[in-house]
Amino acid sequence: QVQLVESGGGLVQAGGSLSLSCTASGRPMSSYVMGWFRQAPGLEREFVAAISWNGGNTNYSDPVKDRFAISRDNAKNAVYLQMNSLKPEDTAVYYCAVDWPGLLTTTRPEDYDYWGQGTQVTVSS
């Protein structure tokens, strides 16, 4: 079994920045895609960003493109999301996820096999 734990969420003013982290624990894994999703109250879970095993391929949703940056450290089984120029509409619970085995940076939640508990991000206006 694999467990994912997110951290780094919090309350920030519009225009500010936050950095999220997600660390995996459990059995060893390789060749997996890691991604971030978010869910606001009353809305369905939406794709934010994903990164391939070697870091060579990234995928961002249009609302966060040029503001967020995803990265990973396979030695630590970790994925990160740097969020800049935050807007109130970014407010949501953010989840990290793993697609194993995986090659493409898929945007579909149903393609991911493991999920974290989520961390709250609130952006005030």
Side-chain angles (χ1 to χ4, degrees):
Q1 297 183 6
V2 175
Q3 185 176 34
L4 302 175
V5 179
E6 303 98 335
S7 64
L11 175 65
V12 65
Q13 291 185 338
S17 299
L18 283 174
S19 183
L20 305 183
S21 299
C22 175
T23 301
S25 61
R27 66 177 177 86
M29 298 194 303
S30 63
S31 301
Y32 57 90
V33 170
M34 300 191 78
W36 288 95
F37 292 77
R38 67 187 184 185
Q39 188 166 21
L43 301 178
E44 62 185 41
R45 191 166 299 185
E46 67 173 347
F47 172 78
V48 176
I51 185 168
S52 62
W53 169 256
N54 64 5
N57 185 28
T58 58
N59 195 0
Y60 297 92
S61 65
D62 287 338
V64 309
K65 191 176 186 299
D66 298 325
R67 297 190 298 122
F68 293 8
I70 188 171
S71 61
R72 67 188 296 165
D73 185 343
N74 289 342
K76 298 179 179 179
N77 290 325
V79 63
Y80 310 97
L81 186 68
Q82 178 64 47
M83 304 184 294
N84 300 316
S85 301
L86 284 162
K87 305 175 181 179
E89 50 263 45
D90 295 319
T91 296
V93 176
Y94 283 70
Y95 301 88
C96 67
V98 164
D99 174 21
W100 180 87
L103 292 175
L104 301 178
T105 51
T106 177
T107 65
R108 304 190 307 172
E110 58 266 34
D111 289 338
Y112 289 80
D113 305 292
Y114 304 99
W115 293 85
Q117 300 298 308
T119 185
Q120 177 70 48
V121 172
T122 302
V123 184
S124 64
S125 59

